[in-house]
Amino acid sequence: MDYGSAEALKNIVTVLSLRKFKEEREKFVTVALYDAQMAAMAERCGVEVVLVGDSLGMTVLGYDSTLPVTMDQMIYHIEAVARGNKKSLIMGDLPFMTYADSAQAMSNATRVMQAGAHMVKIEGGAWLCDTVKMLSERGIPVCSHIGLTPQSVFKLGGFRVQGRSDEQADTLLKDALALERAGADAIVLEAIPSELGKKISDALSIPTIGIGAGAETDAQVLVINDILGLTPKPPKFSKNFLVEADDIPGALKKYVNDVKEGRFPDDHHSFK
Ligand code: KIV
């Protein structure tokens, strides 16, 4: 396959496309990345959703967590990614404490959308329903993010798997349903048992995007630095695809194909 020059992604991806993928049980692929060239490569390799994640604090900027990331840093990288990719749906994170109340969320989500994103992502459960409703009613698509929410790493006591007890699993399922009712268009499920990933995905009409949530979510997301083996201590759920490829586009294309054809994630990259 000529992944280097072929325009693998034929059409512009929208929130409606994501719903359709779910309805038609077609897995879609998300990659967190931060610059124009990687964004262009993702388009050529058929990546449907590009996430400009606040993980850039740990990958690009060298912080120990995502907490120091600022709105200005997010905007800088969202603008770069938007210049490089004209077909994928671009999702932009709101960083730590930039959506602590609805008014703050509104003005920061506006900045993210005006920088070139098509959807904002915010971390948290049912407490964010009013914010999700307000953004959604005003025309801003929202992706929620539950499970291991890295902005709460100090509250969670570390980067730990969530939802292992029945009580925690029940709360996560209720959070997901409440966020969907509030108007979320998608939801990231991070580091939860595969069985719970499936249960939440089955219960929702909006697509779930899993990272360490098993093979049964509607889509998968990985960070480009993990895909390319750049992360010194990668999380269990990530995989270095470069070791099985000839070059960087080959690694990305392998990730895309392995997700779409159900080879990734396997049990080694999931939690019980
Ligand atoms: O910031 C990020 O890249 C993320 C993904 C890991 C889901 O939130």
Side-chain angles (χ1 to χ4, degrees), residues 13-251:
V13 181
T14 68
V15 281
L16 299 181
S17 328
L18 304 190
R19 285 262 182 163
K20 194 153 180 272
F21 286 132
K22 175 154 184 147
E23 279 159 26
E24 296 180 354
R25 295 179 174 276
E26 184 183 339
K27 302 265 182 205
F28 64 88
V29 179
T30 303
V31 177
L33 51 78
Y34 322 102
D35 69 71
Q37 286 190 334
M38 287 292 178
M41 185 180 71
E43 181 181 312
R44 288 197 298 275
C45 290
V47 172
E48 284 94 355
V49 179
V50 162
L51 165 65
V52 187
D54 62 353
S55 53
L56 68 85
M58 299 175 77
T59 52
V60 180
L61 301 175
Y63 296 123
D64 289 336
S65 77
T66 59
L67 273 65
V69 176
T70 65
M71 273 306 298
D72 286 349
Q73 288 164 341
M74 289 306 304
I75 297 301
Y76 179 87
H77 286 277
I78 292 167
E79 285 177 348
V81 166
R83 281 192 287 270
N85 185 318
K86 302 294 173 202
K87 290 189 177 169
S88 308
L89 185 145
I90 298 173
M91 192 193 289
D93 261 342
L94 288 187
F96 181 62
M97 284 301 151
T98 62
Y99 52 98
D101 62 49
S102 293
Q104 194 193 22
M106 189 73 240
S107 69
N108 286 321
T110 302
R111 284 189 71 192
V112 164
M113 298 299 281
Q114 289 180 336
H118 309 123
M119 181 182 255
V120 301
K121 180 165 78 59
I122 49 180
E123 296 182 8
W127 68 272
L128 274 173
C129 282
D130 288 347
T131 298
V132 170
K133 186 167 186 292
M134 192 199 57
L135 295 175
S136 178
E137 283 176 350
R138 284 157 183 75
I140 298 183
V142 180
C143 179
S144 290
H145 181 159
I146 61 170
L148 169 52
T149 44
Q151 291 171 18
S152 309
V153 63
F154 295 108
K155 182 78 179 167
L156 298 175
F159 293 96
R160 307 163 71 88
V161 179
Q162 303 296 307
R164 277 196 159 135
S165 72
D166 289 349
E167 193 188 341
Q168 266 192 1
D170 192 47
T171 303
L172 287 172
L173 175 60
K174 285 184 179 143
D175 281 349
L177 288 164
L179 290 162
E180 172 173 271
R181 276 195 304 276
D185 287 285
I187 185 159
V188 166
L189 304 177
E190 180 163 351
I192 60 172
S194 304
E195 204 181 313
L196 181 59
K198 175 172 169 35
K199 195 169 179 184
I200 296 175
S201 303
D202 288 348
L204 298 181
S205 337
I206 55 170
T208 57
I209 306 175
I211 176 162
E216 304 291 336
T217 55
D218 304 304
Q220 296 291 327
V221 55
L222 281 185
V223 170
I224 191 73
N225 298 56
D226 294 348
I227 293 173
L228 301 181
L230 293 171
T231 310
K233 284 189 197 153
K236 172 185 157 84
F237 54 66
S238 74
K239 182 174 169 183
N240 175 352
F241 285 87
L242 192 52
V243 291
E244 297 171 33
D246 294 333
D247 53 20
I248 290 175

